[in-house]
Amino acid sequence: MWNMLKKDFLTISRDRSEVLVLLVMPFVLIAILGFALGGINQENQGIAEIPIALVMSQDFDQELQDFEQRLEDEGFPREMINQVIESAEAIDPAIMLKNLLLAPELEGAIATETGYQSTEAQQALEDDQIAAIITIPEQFSYQTLIAIYLDEEPNASIEVKVQDYEQIRSDVIESVVTNFVDQYNFETSIALATEGEAVETALNNEAFGETTYLSTRDPVSAFQYYTIGMAVMFALYVAATVSSNAFKEKETHVFARLMVTGEKPIRYLISKAVAATVLTALQLAILFILSGLLFQTFANQDLSFWLGVSVITLSFAVTVGSVATLLTAIALQFNNDAISAAFSGGIVTIFAFLGGSFTPVEQISPVIRMLGNWTPNGAVMTAYLQTIQGLSFGAVMPMIYRVLVMSIVLISVAVFIFPKRRLA
Amino acid sequence: MLEVEGLKKTYKTTKAVDGVQLYLNKGESVGLLGPNGAGKSTTISMMSTLITPTSGDVRYNKKSVLKHPDIIRPVLGVVPQEIALYEELTAYENMRFFGKIYGLSGRKLENKVDEVLELVGLSDRKKERIKRYSGGMKRRINIAVALMHEPEVLIMDEPTVGIDPQSRSYILDMVRKLNREKGMTVLYTSHYMEEVERLCDRVYIMDHGHIIASGTKDELKSILSGEETVFVEVQQMSLKLVEQLVAHEAIQKVTEVEKGYKVIATKGEDLLADIFKLASTIDVKITGIHVQTPTLEDVFLHLTGRKLRD
């Protein structure tokens, strides 16, 4: 396999036109677009303040009384009840969440409006006045407290209703809530444990939501945006390059020569997948590193950022590898390289547009954004941008899963199509 | 050792190969002679398990290689008509690549690369990319790659097409050396009759997908034992002379060649005298005349009515 990979790498790297397309062109475009659109994009692309509604349907005082009554019913001594009620006020999750959302640290990132009733908030969401509704339901505080102190099954959940699941800002809101839940669980456990009681975490993630972390970082810069946009677009050309190379091998009878040696066709196909994967990973790494060194695109990023970027890059590289496999299978089976030409000449451009390589498409239409997130480049572009904005790895995972599933489907189809033994 | 039985290949309505029968004994050098489009390359592709025949079989040591391609692939070296090499890689890189595909590694691989490069006379040019090679050098590396695993059977499909006489001669000497000194069984396909005559013990003549004649070179030439070929060189070409020659009862065929005519005629005592007489009657000056023993080209012409390179 290494032998085949080395051969593919050498043949492609020695072809100047390929190097030009795969490395020089994207880099030049990053530079041009980064400098030209820097100012404009900075304004438009950053996470603008996200307006949300916090609807608090519970009545904390009433629920605290209900909780006190419950403790009495359970036969707790009065002194202990007073102690618990006193600490319960301090750890009420609804109040803590409200304080978090209104905290100065979130100023400029999230604008929380607490005056809405449930129906008004719903209307505001539909009218695009707000991006999300966070609802604290009735009995929330009561349910939380009995879960914590009486170790009952938690039956409390914060409802988060977002305007558009595909938008990055929706992810931000979900992250805020889930981060809060994680933090709350952790701190509550610590607080109770330090009073000498062995306490299990009563509130679990499932009761509240799925995603974590909060982004308070700078907006995505033009250089960051176009480094990602151009890199994921030009990475798709690797697939066409590899499949064209495979077709050239068939045309020049090298493929036939390989088959005469006893080389298995499936091994050959796998070698193309691996070659495209490695080449894509290298191409992306080179573009990111060059952009970082010359334009300070990813300055001051921590290890977790680079880890996230690495995982996304590898996942995307695998997907490009699977696209290359499919193109190779089609070209060789039908003895025609038109598919590679059509891919590099048209499909890449369409995918690049839908995926947002040229411009942030969510500003044009949420439908295009949604479609774009179903292209391999669009999905990973969203993942990269989320990572740049500091979203958690968990928030990015759905897009990674998406491209990995795409890869499995593409490879399966390619293996099905590819000639199994002989050429005719 | 290697037998081909009733091999057929049909593409839609075209019969590319139609019931070919041939065999190769161990250590033999066998020629497959025929014009372009005769079906030679298709036959070779089926023998090397690259394409599936419509019917028929190929057996190696009595076992069907169509059912078990893995029995022949390790012992078979195929030199395709095309330059099946990576043009962007050097000769050395190409040979290492294919050597590794054949399972060689380490010192054994390096030694083999050096040995084969020496054999094809390109040791001093091994670091150059194939695309910078001349046609003859490319042909030699094309052969070299097929020799990396020391095959028992070497199938060569028109290995000298489009190269200079010096490279051709080098390749022919090399093939003879492989056959005579290393005992390699060779199936040599060509439409150059002189190559096949020089290299091969036995010859199959193929045309329109059929084997039309086979045997040793002498056996094939004996087909023309009752005939002789006379080259008549004239000062000026003359259509009238052609008409006169064709009208002669002993002459079967007259074809135009450089500076004169090639005459195939039934052997007879007075033929040369008759030719001089005919020429003098129409004032055509004969500047030279010689009688040639039959060649395989003549045999092919006799059998098909066409030249090999038509």
Side-chain angles (χ1 to χ4, degrees):
Chain A
M1 187 60 77
W2 169 241
N3 192 30
M4 299 278 265
L5 283 181
K6 188 180 169 191
K7 172 263 300 174
D8 275 333
F9 181 77
L10 286 176
T11 49
I12 290 172
S13 65
R14 284 178 186 172
D15 185 337
R16 281 184 196 167
S17 62
E18 296 295 355
V19 175
L20 197 72
V21 169
L22 299 179
L23 284 176
V24 180
M25 269 178 68
F27 189 73
V28 168
L29 284 169
I30 290 166
I32 293 170
L33 293 168
F35 281 121
L37 304 174
I40 304 163
N41 209 47
Q42 187 92 16
E43 278 174 24
N44 292 343
Q45 181 54 29
I47 309 174
E49 196 172 54
I50 304 168
I52 66 165
L54 178 65
V55 178
M56 306 198 51
S57 301
Q58 46 49 293
D59 180 342
F60 180 69
D61 293 336
Q62 182 58 51
E63 287 175 29
L64 198 61
Q65 280 177 28
D66 292 346
F67 178 59
E68 191 175 347
Q69 185 59 51
R70 176 73 190 274
L71 292 176
E72 274 179 20
D73 296 346
E74 294 287 335
F76 282 83
R78 190 67 237 173
E79 196 182 334
M80 187 185 275
I81 292 173
N82 289 342
Q83 233 177 355
V84 168
I85 291 298
E86 199 178 319
S87 62
E89 287 177 339
I91 63 164
D92 177 52
I95 294 170
M96 288 175 77
L97 177 61
K98 182 179 172 183
N99 291 340
L100 170 71
L101 291 171
L102 295 172
E105 289 84 357
L106 282 184
E107 202 174 308
I110 294 177
T112 307
E113 179 58 61
T114 55
Y116 282 113
Q117 292 300 311
S118 181
T119 49
E120 291 169 349
Q122 182 60 38
Q123 190 58 49
L125 187 69
E126 285 170 13
D127 295 344
D128 284 351
Q129 290 169 13
I130 53 172
I133 306 168
I134 299 174
T135 305
I136 308 293
E138 284 179 28
Q139 294 288 301
F140 177 78
S141 298
Y142 174 76
Q143 291 291 343
T144 307
L145 292 170
I146 61 167
I148 294 171
Y149 290 102
L150 301 179
D151 201 20
E152 290 191 2
E153 197 63 26
N155 190 22
S157 61
I158 298 171
E159 292 170 11
V160 180
K161 190 179 270 187
V162 293
Q163 192 185 42
D164 176 1
Y165 281 101
E166 300 297 338
Q167 288 190 3
I168 290 169
R169 58 188 193 166
S170 303
D171 294 323
V172 172
I173 296 158
E174 285 184 58
S175 295
V176 170
V177 175
T178 317
N179 182 55
F180 165 74
V181 171
D182 282 351
Q183 201 64 26
Y184 182 81
N185 286 338
F186 180 68
E187 286 177 5
T188 309
S189 302
I190 297 290
L192 293 177
T194 51
E195 283 180 14
E197 294 177 44
V199 179
E200 287 181 21
T201 304
L203 299 175
N204 60 30
N205 278 353
E206 287 161 13
F208 287 102
E210 291 169 351
T211 47
T212 54
Y213 301 108
L214 162 65
S215 173
T216 53
R217 296 198 183 180
D218 290 338
V220 175
S221 72
F223 270 112
Q224 286 172 332
Y225 189 87
Y226 286 111
T227 297
I228 300 299
M230 291 302 113
V232 297
M233 174 183 167
F234 280 85
L236 292 175
Y237 286 114
V238 173
T241 297
V242 168
S243 66
S244 281
N245 239 28
F247 185 72
K248 196 172 157 194
E249 283 178 328
K250 186 169 183 185
E251 263 196 329
T252 56
H253 300 263
V254 175
F255 178 71
R257 180 163 232 168
L258 284 172
M259 293 304 108
V260 170
T261 65
E263 182 68 24
K264 298 277 179 284
I266 193 74
R267 266 174 57 93
Y268 174 83
L269 190 65
I270 291 168
S271 80
K272 293 295 164 195
V274 178
T277 302
V278 173
L279 282 168
T280 305
L282 276 174
Q283 179 203 31
L284 293 172
I286 290 169
L287 288 174
F288 292 163
I289 290 168
L290 277 179
S291 179
L293 289 175
L294 294 177
F295 309 127
Q296 305 297 308
T297 307
F298 305 111
N300 304 320
Q301 298 288 1
D302 58 15
L303 186 65
S304 67
F305 167 81
W306 288 111
L307 202 65
V309 166
S310 303
V311 172
I312 299 166
T313 301
L314 284 178
S315 307
F316 185 46
V318 168
T319 312
V320 174
S322 66
V323 174
T325 314
L326 181 62
L327 296 178
T328 301
I330 293 171
L332 265 57
Q333 176 64 33
F334 299 104
N335 208 18
N336 191 327
D337 198 29
I339 183 71
S340 305
F343 184 78
S344 58
I347 297 171
V348 169
T349 313
I350 295 168
F351 276 20
F353 170 72
L354 292 174
S357 284
F358 303 129
T359 185
V361 282
E362 55 269 31
Q363 291 175 3
I364 301 170
S365 157
V367 176
I368 296 178
R369 172 76 270 166
M370 188 198 73
L371 284 173
N373 278 346
W374 282 100
T375 62
N377 53 307
V380 292
M381 189 160 173
T382 300
Y384 277 126
L385 293 177
Q386 287 174 336
T387 305
I388 288 170
Q389 288 172 334
L391 264 71
S392 74
F393 198 58
V396 171
M397 279 315 284
M399 290 299 166
I400 293 180
Y401 288 142
R402 186 175 291 189
V403 292
L404 290 178
V405 169
M406 283 181 203
S407 307
I408 293 167
V409 172
L410 292 169
I411 288 175
S412 304
V413 176
V415 170
F416 180 74
I417 291 173
F418 197 65
K420 298 296 179 293
R421 204 176 91 177
R422 295 190 180 122
L423 300 180
Chain B
M1 184 187 197
L2 193 63
E3 296 162 87
V4 173
E5 290 179 1
L7 216 52
K8 288 186 183 179
K9 183 68 187 177
T10 306
Y11 294 106
K12 293 181 181 167
T13 54
T14 311
K15 284 182 180 172
V17 174
D18 193 9
V20 164
Q21 304 263 138
L22 61 86
Y23 67 91
L24 276 80
N25 289 325
K26 192 170 172 57
E28 256 192 326
S29 177
V30 176
L32 185 57
L33 191 65
N36 289 331
K40 304 186 300 290
S41 296
T42 310
T43 303
I44 282 179
S45 292
M46 288 189 283
M47 289 174 73
S48 52
T49 73
L50 263 179
I51 61 175
T52 314
T54 309
S55 65
D57 203 356
V58 179
R59 294 180 200 282
Y60 174 69
N61 290 337
K62 310 285 180 201
K63 284 184 185 166
S64 168
V65 301
L66 302 180
K67 287 178 191 155
H68 311 285
D70 291 342
I71 62 171
I72 191 147
R73 285 175 172 170
V75 296
L76 186 68
V78 179
V79 181
Q81 193 177 136
E82 302 77 14
I83 305 295
L85 299 168
Y86 293 101
E87 295 251 319
E88 294 293 339
L89 303 188
T90 64
Y92 175 76
E93 286 165 342
N94 266 286
M95 293 180 66
R96 266 183 66 87
F97 170 74
F98 282 102
K100 282 185 177 180
I101 292 281
Y102 280 120
L104 301 176
S105 60
R107 181 91 332 247
K108 200 176 171 188
L109 173 65
E110 293 300 326
N111 289 343
K112 197 70 203 168
V113 170
D114 290 343
E115 181 193 322
V116 179
L117 278 169
E118 189 67 37
L119 180 73
V120 298
L122 288 170
S123 295
D124 54 338
R125 309 286 296 269
K126 66 179 182 181
K127 295 288 183 188
E128 283 180 39
R129 292 191 199 177
I130 298 294
K131 68 177 181 183
R132 303 215 174 102
Y133 273 13
S134 68
M137 288 159 74
K138 285 180 184 178
R139 288 271 163 209
R140 281 192 257 169
I141 292 293
N142 206 32
I143 296 169
V145 163
L147 300 175
M148 283 300 290
H149 62 306
E150 293 183 19
E152 283 180 36
V153 183
L154 184 64
I155 297 181
M156 308 181 89
D157 188 3
E158 311 247 10
T160 59
V161 170
I163 57 170
D164 59 282
Q166 198 186 350
S167 290
R168 174 180 293 175
S169 181
Y170 193 99
I171 288 173
L172 295 179
D173 287 345
M174 187 174 74
V175 175
R176 186 148 57 185
K177 199 170 159 188
L178 288 168
N179 175 242
R180 305 279 154 85
E181 293 177 17
K182 300 211 169 189
M184 207 174 271
T185 307
V186 176
L187 177 64
Y188 193 94
T189 296
S190 180
H191 63 263
Y192 295 118
M193 132 328 263
E194 62 274 19
E195 290 183 358
V196 173
E197 280 208 277
R198 186 169 157 185
L199 287 178
C200 304
D201 311 319
R202 282 193 304 118
V203 180
Y204 289 91
I205 298 179
M206 198 170 179
D207 192 34
H208 294 307
H210 299 273
I211 298 286
I212 55 172
S214 66
T216 61
K217 283 180 280 188
D218 291 339
E219 282 169 351
L220 287 173
K221 287 174 187 173
S222 71
I223 294 172
L224 301 179
S225 58
E227 294 173 357
E228 61 187 347
T229 303
V230 180
F231 283 94
V232 182
E233 206 174 304
V234 292
Q235 200 169 43
Q236 203 167 7
M237 303 300 273
S238 163
L239 197 62
K240 213 166 182 182
L241 179 62
V242 176
E243 285 168 2
Q244 298 272 7
L245 288 171
V246 170
H248 192 282
E249 58 180 8
I251 294 175
Q252 294 158 8
K253 199 169 191 78
V254 178
T255 44
E256 204 175 298
V257 293
E258 200 183 352
K259 293 182 186 171
Y261 303 98
K262 181 181 176 183
V263 176
I264 297 176
T266 310
K267 277 183 181 169
E269 286 176 8
D270 299 328
L271 182 65
L272 295 186
D274 288 350
I275 290 174
F276 274 108
K277 204 181 285 175
L278 285 173
S280 69
T281 56
I282 54 169
D283 287 336
V284 173
K285 192 175 177 189
I286 294 178
T287 54
I289 192 160
H290 73 272
V291 180
Q292 194 191 54
T293 51
T295 64
L296 289 177
E297 176 89 43
D298 300 325
V299 175
F300 186 81
L301 189 67
H302 173 80
L303 292 170
T304 65
R306 292 184 295 127
K307 283 185 177 178
L308 270 165
R309 273 160 257 182
D310 273 353

